[in-house]
Amino acid sequence: MTLRLLIINKFDSNKPSGNKLLHLKAQKTGSAQRIFNTSFATLICTVLLIMLSGETLFAHQKKEAVSRVIFNEHTVTIEVIHRFLLHDTEHASKRLFSKGNVSHNANVLQEYFVEYVGHQFSLKRLTAEVLPLTNIGFEVEGPYLWIYQETPLLPDIKRLIISHGALTEIWPEHVNLVNIERNKKVQSLVFKGSATEQEIIFETEK
Amino acid sequence: MILLATVTASFEASAISQTKGKFEDKFRQLDESLPTPNVYRNAAGEPGHRYWQQKVDYEIKATLDEKNRRLSGSENIHYQNNSPDTLKYLWLQLDQNRFNPQSMGNLSRTFSGVRDYKEGQWKNDSRKPAKINLNVLRKQQFEADTELGYHIQSVKSESGDELHFIINGTQMRVDLQAPIKSGQSVHISIDFAYNITEKDAVGGRSGYEHFPDDERKGGNDIFLIAQWFPRLAAYTDYEAWTNKEFLGSGEFTLEFGDYSLELTVPADHIVSSTGVLENPSEVLSKKQQQRLIKARTAKRPVYIVTEKEALSNEKSGTSKTKTWKFRAENVRDVAWASSRKFMWDAKGYQQGGDVQPLVMAMSFFPKEGNPLWEKYSTESVIHTLEVYSRFSFDYPYPVAQSVNGPVGGMEYPMITFNGPRTELQDDKTRTYSLTEKRFLIGVVIHEVGHIYFPMTVNSDERQWTWMDEGINSFIQSIAEREWDPGIPWKRGTFTNVIDYMKSEYQAPVMTQSDSLLQFGNNAYNKPAAALHILRETILGRELFDFAFKEYSERWMFKRPTPSDFFRTMEEASGVDLDWFWRGWFYSTDHVDISLDHVYQLRLDTNDPDIDFSRQREEDEIKPSSVSLARDKVEKRRFWVDLNKDVTDYYDKNDRFTVTNKERNSYKDFIDSLEDWEKTVFDRALKEDRHYYVLDFSNKGGLVMPIILGMTFTDGSTEEIRLPAEIWRRSPSNIRKLFVFEKELKQIEVDPNWETADVDIENNHYPRKIIKSRLQMFKSKEEDLLEERDLIQDSKTKLNIDSKKKK
């Protein structure tokens, strides 16, 4: 669970006239209620309390998840494959969704988690145009929960803005590594702590 | 040390690149990058003939103030200077100062993580609100409300004189009245106190956890006490005093010594500690003492403190105290845990041998851990000892403990903290999922495994995390597999490391602990994968296991550095592995070997009557020209057909016609051969083998053996393993000739997926279209069976059809 910090003013060293005090205002997020459907809204309201109830981070083994954003020229799609440790998703789901009147059923929690990731992860073109991600499904294989999404591969994608806040809002030390794979080249982004939106520029643009 | 590392890195880079051509020496001798062997650490990687290490003994009395969650204590320290140097002062580690808001660790934390590993990104939109985690605010509020860090009340000499000391962050220098020369010792005493941190609020590897819902008014706490007394910093032959600030990631660099502990806690608390309990008659009931004796030979764990006793304890409380006394010999640290919530089970592990024939495996846990803990914790401890001892040495201590508390997983000599819990259901029973069970077994194996590495093989955690976490994760995965090979353990897969190794966000394994970019992948998964590959693919089990055991035995109760590990593994296996350490530990290269071309060849006989005929056959199977085909369709009439009366020699012979000129030439060739040449030539012609030339490219940069799975047209298969040295003169591209009796149908590089090759699409001849994971998923059904809580789900009542019910 995260709170949003709104930037009230900004000091920019490149602009002499911008020499003003920087204020950060903590604001309880409303975005969660907006993005989730009604049943989720009830759940999210309880998240704040759950967050205060305990932290189960490993002492020295950091939590890490990996997402792959693959430009598949054969299928003319951008494939998104998220890989989370099943044990992480189980604990996160219980903390996010298990309070109130919601069932403890593991499969239901898994579906909630997949939906949660769907809201926490997004792709945009530089034009701020959201690339609609279709949820293909999810599966458990090995010690992981795999989540699959895809969107049509548009011909003129030169940059991508990627948002990823899954689990970092619960565990500050959680790291989401995103490998963007295009034409056999891999570029990486890392989402950790408060960094939830970043931009990737493909080589031809540099 | 930072400076040294920088100099080494730049030296290394200049040593293996050059200004002429593009040759990069992936097999450059590693010795020029390693410290020069000396009398303390020799070229074989074992302790030199004048190896030394300091010895520090402690007598510590401490009191837990439960109400105020404060620990106060006094320690008498006996410091034995075994170094050849004279010491004017002692440095101590004050790890609790790490929690002070003004610590270097706290002040150097950034808001958005790392930014500089890649140029040209991080264009955060400043119009977007940033986010802050509630846990971050909780931490800040706890730090604002609680005075954190040590209160050092006094530092005195043996005669009681106050000694001058200065505190620098997490380190404290104590100036001695007189220098201690080599071979001499000194006594000092320190009185200290600090407020215990709430683990869930500030993190770390110790602290208390509060249980507000317990029946006792005000609830109860579990206290996990570690990094709790001012400890001597290590003084070593390779660094002198350890002076790297405790920033939070790089753990501990410590000296061995003997400890005597007197821990005063509320009388209804149960204490688990490093060491042997010396006064059971004063802190346990007679019945509990009898149970402890019974547990030594029990087949399954025996409760020393039962669930009923623990529940009774946690409902009440007392103002009385008890003092638990422990003695620990030859350990590099001590930690302990205390709570009235603890139940305690134990089982003797009959290890045999002369070192510790009997080891007491024990677990301490609250009701929140059961029924999972009573079933698997102590048994997991024993399983760990059985497997790890096979790879290293007999477990050297009298006890091995697993304690449940707020810390997910942490290790100390003879004692580990492990976090798995069960879930309270509406029917008041407690259940757990399959993943939680795996977590418990896995984390107990991992943390108890740390009692071998680094608690006994005393590597420097502050600098090289992989030496304990990587090596330990490697053996952990073996122990997990030997528990149940049917479970998909996290450590037993290369999946993690492949995505990590091809990413841009990484640093070499040899990077100092606090500077690692992806801690888990860098310090745990990558070195563990490297060691698996070294064992299964490069050396083979026989050579690897001997060398690894040699390393463990050489450095048991001593302090190895990376060079000692690298040198021992080479020296004891008899295999030059410099390229392997360079690639896996000093670089960010990944494995991607591509099979680019396959050429099929046939040996010419030089006999024109055979070779010309073969050439004609090859020519005839080529497709005719499109123009000719279309001319025929159009029934075009050709000049030669219309003028058949005009012919010459060439109309009856083609360019493959053999004349005596060629036959004479062939005879001359045969006559010119030496006898042995003729024998070889004749045999080659008779066998008429299939010749193939394969082109490989190394796209990932990391040189590795090339493993080839060959399938022949008759359906038979063969595996060929080419050593990594094939890349030594041409690290990017190589070409290799193969000769077979049979014709090849297909080839696959790394058919068993044992080298962590990141791209399998280029591993095949003929090329295969490898479906992406997503595409494969689309074609199979979902499998959601793993995460079910079967214990809870099995209570579900069967819905009866309403019509039938009527």
Side-chain angles (χ1 to χ4, degrees), chain A residues 5 61 83 90 110 169 197, chain B residues 130 133 433 435 496 787:
Chain A
L5 291 175
Q61 184 187 349
R83 192 189 75 222
E90 183 180 302
Q110 246 170 21
E169 61 167 4
E197 186 169 272
Chain B
N133 192 293
S433 68
T435 57
N496 248 343
E787 205 188 335

Side-chain angles (χ1 to χ4, degrees), chain B residues 56 61 87 93 118 156 177 200 214 233 256 283 293 326 353 374 405 416 467 477 618 620 649 687 729 731:
Chain B
V56 192
K61 294 179 180 175
L87 305 177
Q93 303 183 56
K118 184 170 185 286
K156 291 179 181 175
Q177 289 173 313
D200 290 340
D214 282 359
F256 284 104
V283 294
I293 293 168
F326 294 90
E374 66 180 4
T416 63
M467 288 196 75
S477 65
E618 288 169 12
E620 285 172 353
Y649 186 84
E687 291 178 343
R729 294 196 182 93

Side-chain angles (χ1 to χ4, degrees), chain B residues 746-761:
Chain B
Q746 62 185 47
I747 308 167
E748 184 177 359
V749 177
D750 193 14
N752 306 315
W753 292 9
E754 57 184 291
T755 65
D757 194 320
V758 305
D759 184 0
I760 57 171
E761 198 170 79

Side-chain angles (χ1 to χ4, degrees), chain B residues 541-754:
Chain B
R541 289 188 175 189
E542 193 173 4
L543 288 180
F544 180 94
D545 292 356
F546 176 82
F548 188 83
K549 196 173 180 68
E550 183 70 15
Y551 164 76
S552 306
E553 290 173 346
R554 284 179 178 183
W555 292 98
M556 182 184 186
F557 294 122
K558 294 189 174 68
R559 191 192 308 282
T561 62
S563 58
D564 301 316
F565 179 74
F566 298 150
R567 283 172 168 147
T568 296
M569 292 301 292
E570 294 193 14
E571 193 264 352
S573 70
V575 178
D576 177 3
L577 297 168
D578 286 3
W579 61 273
F580 186 83
W581 310 129
R582 269 195 191 285
W584 281 88
F585 290 77
Y586 285 85
S587 87
T588 52
D589 289 346
H590 63 262
V591 183
D592 182 7
I593 295 173
S594 170
L595 173 55
D596 296 331
H597 305 104
V598 177
Y599 305 93
Q600 185 175 9
L601 305 119
R602 192 173 192 184
L603 188 66
D604 277 350
T605 65
N606 278 8
D607 182 342
D609 287 309
I610 298 174
D611 288 353
F612 279 39
S613 174
R614 285 179 182 173
Q615 288 178 38
R616 180 184 288 115
E617 288 169 11
E618 288 169 12
D619 193 62
E620 285 172 353
I621 61 174
K622 290 178 184 171
S624 61
S625 81
V626 174
S627 300
L628 182 59
R630 288 179 183 160
D631 285 347
K632 286 180 177 174
V633 171
E634 292 174 3
K635 297 183 178 174
R636 187 73 49 212
R637 301 191 70 186
F638 304 106
W639 186 93
V640 289
D641 296 329
L642 296 171
N643 301 277
K644 287 184 177 173
D645 57 321
V646 185
T647 61
D648 67 4
Y649 186 84
Y650 294 106
D651 287 298
K652 294 180 180 173
N653 297 277
D654 64 11
R655 57 196 170 104
F656 301 111
T657 299
V658 180
T659 68
N660 286 338
K661 184 181 178 186
E662 285 84 23
R663 292 188 182 101
N664 290 339
S665 177
Y666 171 60
K667 185 175 182 306
D668 290 344
F669 163 72
I670 295 295
D671 291 346
S672 72
L673 293 178
E674 301 284 341
D675 288 347
W676 69 267
E677 289 176 323
K678 190 167 187 315
T679 305
V680 170
F681 187 65
D682 286 345
R683 178 175 166 179
L685 292 183
K686 185 181 176 188
E687 291 178 343
D688 194 20
R689 297 280 170 90
H690 298 267
Y691 295 80
Y692 295 90
V693 171
L694 274 56
D695 285 350
F696 298 95
S697 62
N698 178 5
K699 296 186 179 302
L702 189 50
V703 289
M704 284 289 281
I706 302 175
I707 304 162
L708 296 169
M710 305 291 198
T711 303
F712 300 93
T713 49
D714 65 357
S716 61
T717 59
E718 183 180 345
E719 188 172 278
I720 296 173
R721 304 172 88 88
L722 307 174
E725 281 77 0
I726 197 170
W727 301 101
R728 65 190 182 280
R729 294 196 182 93
S730 183
S732 301
N733 296 279
I734 57 109
R735 175 171 282 187
K736 179 75 177 172
L737 170 71
F738 295 88
V739 183
F740 298 114
E741 288 182 15
K742 295 171 283 189
E743 189 179 3
L744 262 177
K745 183 180 179 188
Q746 62 185 47
I747 308 167
E748 184 177 359
V749 177
D750 193 14
N752 306 315
W753 292 9
E754 57 184 291

Side-chain angles (χ1 to χ4, degrees), chain B residues 50-67:
Chain B
R50 299 188 68 180
Y51 176 84
W52 57 267
Q53 64 187 24
Q54 311 293 61
K55 185 169 190 289
V56 192
D57 301 324
Y58 299 81
E59 292 174 2
I60 311 175
K61 294 179 180 175
T63 301
L64 173 65
D65 178 350
E66 182 182 33
K67 184 182 173 189

